[in-house]
Amino acid sequence: MLKAFKRKFSDLRSFVEERKLSRALIVLAGVGMCAGAPNVLADDQNDISAEEQESKHGDRYANYFLSSFGTNQLMMFNENTGKFKKIVYPISKPVASQIGFDGDLFIPSFDTGNVYRFDGFTGGFKGIFVRGGEGGLTNPSAPNFGPDDLMYIGDFATNKILRFDKNGKFVDVFADHETSGLSQPYMPTFDATSFYIASGGTNSILRWDIKTKEFLGAFVPPGSGGLVHPVGLEFGPDGNLYAGSNGTNAVIRYNGKTGEFIDVFVPPGTGGIDNPFAVRFGGRNSNLYVVSNNTNEVMEYDRVTGDFIRVVSDGDSSGLKGARGLTFTPRPIFNVEAKVVGDAYSHGTHWMKHISIEHILKDYSDDSPRVKLISIVSSDKYIDIDKAVRHADFGRPDYSFDVDFNNRTGVAQHYTVTYSASNRHGLSTIATTEINVPPR
């Protein structure tokens, strides 16, 4: 069936390329998201080759920055081809970086304690944002930017989390070792209300309430799912939490709401991964990119299956050594979550329920990123998706529609809902959520 679908897709592509348009790429992508479920409702999107993408004006912004700890350099690479573009700036022992205020890139020096600021697209140097010693900052690790518009950054020397405002001024000590057991703070991340950080020394992921600064305990308990010395940390397109397990050369996935272990998303050593540091979702398909420190490579894995795709970049052409942080040029931060709202109603033979999609959307480089509902896929290939979904407005930011819950198969089913958010620079992020349909 898939081969037949691909043949039809190929014929369609030949037809539309004659008219400078292409359709149905997202339909094919939707099928890939849910094996055995070719029933898709989807928005039309342009389908163009990698070569055509490279020629597009906006594609020049599709890059990422890498910290070369061993050569004291911040480097830039093209995210699609993996080609080395330039040395951005010399920094003594650069660690992880992050996009923050005004779409700029912020990166600390482990040696000096300084946090440097660069243009998030060009890498143009903008000065020292925080000087070493400010607020007690000595050996900074990874920064990140909270929903409260403050920069959070861990310090290895003191095992504390410090906060700074938009002007680089010290605000307070947000968290410390004494009250939480935090040890070797690496990558932090956020949801709407909580702060999370990889605590490498305790093999766990810790959580705090942002407003109250209350320590909420280990969101991921020590060693859960085989976690050893976590470094990279990121919420994925599916809303779950992904952690690089440095001690086992793996990437582990946890429920984004409960912290419960889901699976080893990238098994140990897959693709040659060795000593993983940063884990990031990006590129055209919002796939998982992992920095393999011991091999000085960036590896790409399928965002849905975790399958190894390719080595994107390596140190051969660039001199990259001791690869640490990876940060994509500015694009939307986007997460969605489906909620069933209200009572069911009958529509012919269907038992419909209303779905409301809660979402978090922010882009430091664009105040108004554009959102599209791309596709809705059923896990049951026998479902007539055209009849099972009502009032969905594809191609628009539709967060409200109805789906059929008349599941009489005796086994659980689900719909996968996929959105994209794009900024004015042409860079996009994919976000998905599942609607579980229990048997009736």
Side-chain angles (χ1 to χ4, degrees):
M1 189 175 201
L2 182 58
K3 289 183 179 178
F5 184 87
K6 287 181 176 178
R7 284 196 298 271
K8 290 179 182 179
F9 176 78
S10 179
D11 293 340
L12 177 61
R13 180 173 179 176
S14 298
F15 172 79
V16 295
E17 281 183 344
E18 294 176 358
R19 293 155 178 79
K20 302 299 185 182
L21 291 172
S22 178
R23 305 165 69 88
L25 176 63
I26 294 303
V27 176
L28 182 60
V31 172
M33 285 189 59
C34 189
N39 294 322
V40 182
L41 284 183
D43 170 45
D44 295 328
Q45 280 199 348
N46 289 339
D47 166 36
I48 54 182
S49 67
E51 291 75 16
E52 291 171 313
Q53 278 279 11
E54 290 294 341
S55 68
K56 286 173 64 67
H57 172 76
D59 199 59
R60 64 189 176 94
Y61 297 115
N63 301 305
Y64 57 74
F65 300 89
L66 273 177
S67 306
S68 183
F69 194 83
T71 62
N72 300 313
Q73 294 167 329
L74 174 64
M75 296 179 169
M76 179 187 283
F77 296 77
N78 180 277
E79 70 182 54
N80 297 321
T81 66
K83 291 181 178 178
F84 170 65
K85 297 190 73 170
K86 65 179 180 178
I87 295 172
V88 176
Y89 202 79
I91 298 175
S92 180
K93 303 305 178 189
V95 285
S97 54
Q98 187 69 35
I99 297 296
F101 308 129
D102 300 322
D104 288 339
L105 178 85
F106 296 80
I107 181 169
S109 163
F110 188 81
D111 274 357
T112 68
N114 292 336
V115 179
Y116 297 91
R117 184 172 189 167
F118 299 86
D119 184 284
F121 291 102
T122 68
F125 180 59
K126 289 192 170 184
I128 297 175
F129 180 67
V130 175
R131 292 197 174 272
E134 178 77 15
L137 189 63
T138 305
N139 295 127
S141 57
N144 210 337
F145 298 81
D148 53 2
D149 285 331
L150 296 176
M151 182 181 80
Y152 291 64
I153 187 165
D155 189 282
F156 257 68
T158 61
N159 289 311
K160 293 179 179 179
I161 307 299
L162 310 181
R163 295 198 290 190
F164 295 84
D165 66 17
K166 288 186 175 182
N167 298 311
K169 299 300 181 183
F170 174 67
V171 174
D172 62 8
V173 174
F174 177 77
D176 57 34
H177 171 79
E178 287 72 24
T179 57
S180 65
L182 175 65
S183 176
Q184 299 178 28
Y186 283 103
M187 190 66 200
T189 192
F190 302 87
D191 60 21
T193 61
S194 299
F195 168 83
Y196 305 79
I197 195 161
S199 179
T202 60
N203 301 321
S204 61
I205 298 168
L206 308 182
R207 179 173 59 161
W208 286 259
D209 182 276
I210 294 172
K211 287 186 178 180
T212 66
K213 300 199 297 185
E214 179 187 0
F215 177 55
L216 301 177
F219 183 70
V220 174
S224 174
L227 186 65
V228 178
H229 201 73
V231 176
L233 195 66
E234 182 106 316
F235 280 100
D238 58 0
N240 291 315
L241 189 62
Y242 293 74
S245 181
N246 187 269
T248 61
N249 300 320
V251 178
I252 304 176
R253 178 165 55 173
Y254 301 92
N255 184 290
K257 294 298 181 183
T258 66
E260 182 181 359
F261 169 70
I262 297 176
D263 58 14
V264 179
F265 187 71
V266 177
T270 302
I273 185 173
D274 189 353
N275 200 24
F277 268 66
V279 297
R280 297 285 195 178
F281 288 89
R284 294 192 188 108
N285 297 314
S286 291
N287 281 332
L288 175 66
Y289 287 61
V290 180
V291 172
S292 177
N293 175 264
N294 283 350
T295 62
N296 295 306
E297 294 172 325
V298 176
M299 298 175 172
E300 182 180 0
Y301 301 86
D302 186 277
R303 66 179 167 83
V304 178
T305 65
D307 291 342
F308 174 69
I309 296 175
R310 60 173 177 156
V311 173
V312 186
S313 302
D314 58 43
D316 292 342
S317 61
S318 63
L320 177 68
K321 186 177 181 180
R324 298 292 178 98
L326 182 154
T327 300
F328 288 95
T329 43
R331 58 207 62 198
I333 300 167
F334 192 30
N335 289 105
V336 293
E337 183 181 5
K339 299 284 188 180
V340 179
V341 180
D343 297 327
Y345 68 92
S346 177
H347 180 68
T349 61
H350 302 281
W351 193 50
M352 310 299 292
K353 288 189 177 182
H354 185 66
I355 305 299
S356 176
I357 305 293
E358 297 180 357
H359 57 280
I360 297 173
L361 177 63
K362 183 173 185 177
D363 190 311
Y364 285 103
S365 68
D366 187 346
D367 291 335
S368 302
R370 291 155 296 286
V371 173
K372 291 182 179 182
L373 172 60
I374 295 177
S375 65
I376 301 176
V377 184
S378 173
S379 63
D380 183 353
K381 64 182 180 180
Y382 297 107
I383 289 289
D384 185 344
I385 200 75
D386 293 298
K387 296 178 180 178
V389 177
R390 302 187 70 210
H391 310 308
D393 194 357
F394 294 94
R396 300 181 62 83
D398 188 356
Y399 298 115
S400 180
F401 47 83
D402 300 341
V403 298
D404 185 11
F405 269 67
N406 191 18
N407 176 10
R408 299 187 181 279
T409 64
V411 296
Q413 299 174 351
H414 65 268
Y415 297 94
T416 299
V417 185
T418 302
Y419 292 84
S420 71
S422 302
N423 62 22
R424 58 189 175 89
H425 302 283
L427 300 175
S428 62
T429 300
I430 292 172
T432 70
T433 183
E434 288 191 354
I435 305 167
N436 294 317
V437 182
R440 290 188 67 184

